[in-house]
Amino acid sequence: MITQRNMILLGIAFVALALVPAVSGLFLVYLVTEIMIFALFALSFNLLLGYGGLISFGHAAYFAIGAYACAVLLTTLGWPFLFGFGAAILLSAVSAAVIGYFCVKLTEIYFSMLTLAFAQLVWAIAFKWVAVTNGDTGFTGVAVPGWMDEPVRFFYFTLIVLAVCAYMLWRIVNSAYGMTLVATRENYNRAEFIGVNVRRIQLVAFVLAGTFAGVAGALFTLFNHAVFVENAWWTQSAEVMIMSILGGVGSFVGPAVGAAILLILDRSLAEITVYWPTVLGIILLAVLFFFPEGLMGVAKKAGRKGK
Amino acid sequence: MITKKRLMAVAALTATTAIPTFAAADEGVIRIGALYPTSGPCQMIGDFALQGTQMLVDEVNAAGGVNGQMLEVVHRDSRCDPAEATAMARDLIAREDVDFLVGGVSSSVGQAISAVSRTEEVIYIASIPKTVQMTTPENLHPYVFRSAANTNTEGGSAAVLADRLGLDRICTILMDYSYGHSLNEAFTSTLAEIRPDAEIVVQEWPQNGTTDYTAHITNIMAAGCDGVFSGVWAGLFPAFASQAGPFGFFDQVTYITAGEVGSPELAEQMGADMPEGIWANSYEVFYYPDTPAHNDFVADLQEELGVEHTPSWPVTGYVALQWLVEAMELAGSAETDAVIAALEGLSIETPIGTQTMRASDHQANRGQFWGQMHMSDDDAYPYPVMDPVEYIPADELMD
């Protein structure tokens, strides 16, 4: 909910993040930048999963489209940064609109399978269209503009983009449209009966989610100076789903927290054991069995008990 | 809603990451960041390459280090995934304060580490990634060097063999991803140069990740070629061989394969299932060449790994680091620009012979060992070996 208190808390979070480069080394600057990019990706995904109840298995497609478009427009075509970055996001939105148009015609598992199929198609194009994407060798040497090609500056650029996008998403989910989207999730038929064009509502959610995923993808390209076909592979779609579930789909910030936890776990576990996938798997099992509402769900419960 | 408790949780989380184990920046130590996959599909290669790296570090340190400074390896698992490798390479530089990067297995991981080395201005020695694209003019930068063979050398060597074996009607079977396509370019262009009358009859492109090669096998057998150039690399070859064998495939054609099918570890894994008489390659084989330097290396590796017959991959990690060590000794420092200057045009004595790092494109003239697979005569080693075996030099084939 948009309350004064929540606004203040988000403001504090923003300021806390803004202080990271001032108080820490380069390592944390990199890690937090990466977390912010994936937090945005997860927030965009949760518009579908958490608010729309739409289980997309192919959300990586829009991340990858944004990432590749940004790389190609800035590097191969040499567009100025703002045009290239903007066009990459626009292209993600258009792709999401086209793909979403077909996907929202289906429901439940059929919807999920179609999103997966389209995402694999995007992957196949990235893999096969070697002349443009450089195939599975990866697109490297992205022409990142000089003014942001510095870890701390890029950190702040990412932070500002994240803050703007998160604020927009927050306004969206708390708007009349957002409430209607939740209504379609809660009861598809009832929403239709009262005159809601459910498909259109879902399509808008699909396009919005795809657009913000495209922003995250474009940021990812700028961050790494590179983009790889693995970014379009279905495991990337699974990863963003895991982030959302881990953090909690029932909460606005849950997926962002999930992204942070997953990345931190991933990095720290890899240092401790080569069996990190097993440990990660066990943690996920535990979350799914014992905290189905995710970590933010746990926090919420604890908060209620406290009162 | 964001409650105080939630915020506390976030704060606690931030706090745990804010206490990174910052490496003690010891002035007397040169830190080498090694990026090898020690989990996932490339694990075996990564483990061996890392052991080779560690072996050289131990040798160098036992002899007093480099310019009086000890070496230390800091390893991160690159997982055969470019995004992961990018993060890990950054991690090594930003948190572990490494002076150099070595490693990588797949081409995309090589490209990913190269991208980080370029922005961070840290020297990277690619020990295994083969894609020529890493050292082509649009991707080359001052900080990337490759000690591995490239796809030009590998495909070109196969063409040299095809010429020598007198093959005129050749089919190819190459995996449909960048490695396969790069091999194809190198093989066909070299063949056109040295054996212009040879004809490429049929080209088969199995999907990467496929396990069913039957259609490709029958297409090739129906095409009536006398030779086959293959990029079905070591990890995929056992499945391919078990499907092609029953058709009499390997009796009908002369099979020349890239992708380290001739490595002792695969030969031991396959045993009698290794088709007789195929031509294959390897980065190293413990039984050749019979030189003091190579024999010493094998003896040390036997001791290090506790095995009688040593695998082929450790040499890649060993030589990659050897380049850095010798360049630092020549430069008299571990300072990046000085080491780059020393590496360009440097020649070193590796366990498999002299190697030179070209100044023009930072590519070592690394060739590979090629030979015809036959069951060994040695009762103590009842596995296929390359016989005859030779080192096909890279000098004429790298471009």
Side-chain angles (χ1 to χ4, degrees), chain A residues 9 30 128 223 271 296, chain B residues 2 6 90 95 120 176:
Chain A
L9 286 171
Y30 279 142
K128 283 282 184 184
F223 178 51
E271 272 169 56
M296 291 313 279
Chain B
I2 297 178
R6 270 197 230 175
R90 278 211 191 94
R95 185 147 64 132
E120 301 289 338
D176 190 10

Side-chain angles (χ1 to χ4, degrees), chain A residues 3-27:
Chain A
T3 62
Q4 202 180 1
R5 204 182 59 139
N6 280 349
M7 290 291 282
I8 292 168
L9 286 171
L10 280 180
I12 292 171
F14 178 80
V15 172
L17 280 173
L19 288 175
V20 165
V23 299
S24 81
L26 194 56
F27 157 69

Side-chain angles (χ1 to χ4, degrees), chain A:
Chain A
M1 266 188 289
I2 304 181
T3 62
Q4 202 180 1
R5 204 182 59 139
N6 280 349
M7 290 291 282
I8 292 168
L9 286 171
L10 280 180
I12 292 171
F14 178 80
V15 172
L17 280 173
L19 288 175
V20 165
V23 299
S24 81
L26 194 56
F27 157 69
L28 211 57
V29 171
Y30 279 142
L31 182 66
V32 178
T33 307
E34 201 179 353
I35 286 173
M36 289 194 294
I37 292 170
F38 280 93
L40 177 57
F41 186 31
L43 286 177
S44 78
F45 178 73
N46 203 38
L47 197 59
L48 291 177
L49 183 64
Y51 293 91
L54 296 163
I55 303 169
S56 168
F57 285 148
H59 203 50
Y62 316 100
F63 183 88
I65 289 169
Y68 270 110
C70 186
V72 171
L73 293 173
L74 292 185
T75 315
T76 317
L77 302 180
W79 285 22
F81 174 73
L82 278 180
F83 287 105
F85 191 67
I89 295 163
L90 190 67
L91 194 69
S92 306
V94 172
S95 316
V98 173
I99 295 172
Y101 173 80
F102 294 101
C103 292
V104 299
K105 287 183 184 293
L106 304 179
T107 55
E108 295 168 6
I109 189 71
Y110 306 101
F111 168 85
S112 304
M113 294 316 291
L114 197 59
T115 56
L116 177 62
F118 274 115
Q120 291 302 87
L121 191 68
V122 169
W123 173 83
I125 292 169
F127 184 79
K128 283 282 184 184
W129 201 7
V130 178
V132 172
T133 64
N134 209 13
D136 59 302
T137 313
F139 193 123
T140 54
V142 174
V144 178
W147 58 267
M148 66 157 64
D149 197 5
E150 196 277 319
V152 174
R153 280 192 196 167
F154 187 75
F155 176 94
Y156 284 116
F157 177 75
T158 309
L159 177 62
I160 291 165
V161 173
L162 171 68
V164 170
C165 291
Y167 183 72
M168 286 164 77
L169 279 164
W170 197 39
R171 292 303 297 247
I172 289 167
V173 301
N174 285 298
S175 68
Y177 164 76
M179 304 297 170
T180 319
L181 180 64
V182 171
T184 67
R185 176 194 76 191
E186 289 300 311
N187 196 326
Y188 189 103
N189 294 333
R190 196 158 173 185
E192 268 191 337
F193 284 151
I194 58 171
V196 175
N197 187 339
V198 176
R199 275 186 194 163
R200 185 175 300 163
I201 294 288
Q202 290 181 333
L203 179 60
V204 170
F206 204 94
V207 174
L208 287 170
T211 308
F212 287 106
V215 178
L219 285 174
F220 185 79
T221 292
L222 296 169
F223 178 51
N224 286 335
H225 297 72
V227 48
F228 297 96
V229 285
E230 281 82 352
N231 295 126
W233 189 234
W234 65 265
T235 49
Q236 183 93 339
S237 299
E239 195 172 86
V240 73
M241 187 179 283
I242 291 169
M243 285 171 176
S244 303
I245 292 170
L246 192 64
V249 293
S251 131
F252 179 77
V253 293
V257 173
I261 292 173
L262 192 71
L263 282 171
I264 292 166
L265 272 180
D266 189 77
R267 297 287 181 273
S268 45
L269 284 178
E271 272 169 56
I272 300 165
T273 167
V274 295
Y275 301 109
W276 52 267
T278 319
V279 180
L280 213 54
I282 291 168
I283 292 173
L284 284 176
L285 271 178
V287 167
L288 285 173
F289 271 106
F290 302 111
F291 320 109
E293 286 168 47
L295 296 169
M296 291 313 279
V298 176
K300 210 183 262 180
K301 265 185 203 156
R304 270 194 224 117
K305 265 185 202 160
K307 283 171 198 168

